[in-house]
Amino acid sequence: MTLILLLFTHASWADGEFDRFNVQAKVVRQDDTFLFAASYQTPLNQCQAYRYLTDYEAAKKVPGVTESKPTRISSNKVLVERSAEEKILFFSVKLHTLIEYTEYPIKGTEFTQIKGDSKRFSGKWSVEPSSVGSVIKYEGVLEPDSHLPMFIIKYFIENSLEDRFKMMAKLSAERKTIEVSCH
C-alpha cells in the first residue's frame, strides 16, 4: 500500500492548465495486481528529464511524501527509502518502503521494491526526446498487501493516477531553467 500512495498521491488540477503536458495514464486491474502505463510531455531536454527522474529527494515535493532518502550503492544502483502519510476516505495511513533503482544514463531507470507494504512493486521510467523537449514514460506493476479492502485501493488508484502524473509534469517543467550535467 505504501507504493500506491507514494505514486498516486491525489491532487486536483484544472484540466486546461495541463493540456500542454499531454498526460496519458492508464491502470488495468488483473485479479489483485494493478498494471500501470503513463506518459507526459515535458519541456526538459533528454538529459534534464533524466536528471529530474533521478533526483530522488525531490519526491518530498509531492503532497503526502514525508521522507525520501537515497543511498547510492554502486555507480548505477540507488536504494531509496520513502515514507508517506495519507488519508484515504476515512482511513489515515502511514507508509514506508525501500526501492532499488537501476539507472541507465539519459535513457531512464528500472526499479523493484526491496521491502515495504506491497507484495510486489516494480517498473521502469524512460525518457525519449521529442520536438518540444522530452516524453517521460512509466510502466509499473503493483500487487498490494494491505489491510484496506481492495475496492478502496482500486478506487484510490483509478481516481488519482492521472492527477499524479499531471503533478509530475508540472514539477518537471519548473526545472527547465536548472543547469544540469550529463557527463
Side-chain angles (χ1 to χ4, degrees):
M1 186 62 193
T2 296
L3 301 188
I4 292 173
L5 296 177
L6 292 175
L7 278 176
F8 306 107
T9 303
H10 185 71
S12 297
W13 303 102
D15 287 334
E17 181 181 355
F18 292 95
D19 288 346
R20 66 188 170 116
F21 298 125
N22 192 24
V23 174
Q24 307 290 317
K26 181 178 178 181
V27 59
V28 174
R29 181 176 172 196
Q30 292 181 343
D31 299 318
D32 289 342
T33 302
F34 294 90
L35 308 174
F36 304 101
S39 66
Y40 59 89
Q41 180 72 46
T42 178
L44 301 177
N45 64 38
Q46 195 173 3
C47 172
Q48 291 169 317
Y50 172 75
R51 290 294 182 214
Y52 167 69
L53 286 178
T54 58
D55 182 359
Y56 305 107
E57 290 182 13
K60 292 185 281 189
K61 293 183 179 181
V62 175
V65 176
T66 58
E67 178 181 40
S68 185
K69 288 197 255 181
T71 303
R72 184 154 300 278
I73 56 176
S74 73
S75 63
N76 72 329
K77 295 219 185 254
V78 179
L79 290 178
V80 179
E81 188 173 357
R82 287 205 178 124
S83 298
E85 189 170 342
E86 291 295 334
K87 285 193 176 213
I88 304 175
L89 300 176
F90 303 110
F91 300 95
S92 181
V93 182
K94 290 184 180 184
L95 310 160
H96 189 78
T97 191
L98 181 65
I99 301 171
E100 180 182 81
Y101 285 86
T102 301
E103 300 172 338
Y104 302 98
I106 312 305
K107 297 182 188 297
T109 64
E110 292 181 352
F111 63 90
T112 301
Q113 174 186 272
I114 303 300
K115 67 180 189 178
D117 297 320
S118 295
K119 290 179 185 174
R120 177 172 54 137
F121 180 60
S122 62
K124 67 180 182 176
W125 290 94
S126 61
V127 180
E128 298 176 4
S130 76
S131 60
V132 293
S134 298
V135 175
I136 295 178
K137 294 183 177 184
Y138 169 79
E139 294 176 16
V141 176
L142 172 68
E143 184 179 356
D145 183 12
S146 173
H147 60 281
L148 294 176
M150 189 58 78
F151 78 92
I152 293 175
I153 294 169
K154 180 179 185 281
Y155 175 84
F156 183 77
I157 290 173
E158 289 178 347
N159 289 288
S160 58
L161 181 65
E162 188 173 330
D163 284 343
R164 170 68 172 127
F165 283 92
K166 285 178 179 178
M167 179 185 299
M168 290 182 62
K170 178 181 180 282
L171 290 171
S172 75
E174 291 173 356
R175 295 173 65 119
K176 178 64 180 156
T177 60
I178 297 174
E179 293 289 327
V180 298
S181 171
C182 287
H183 304 292

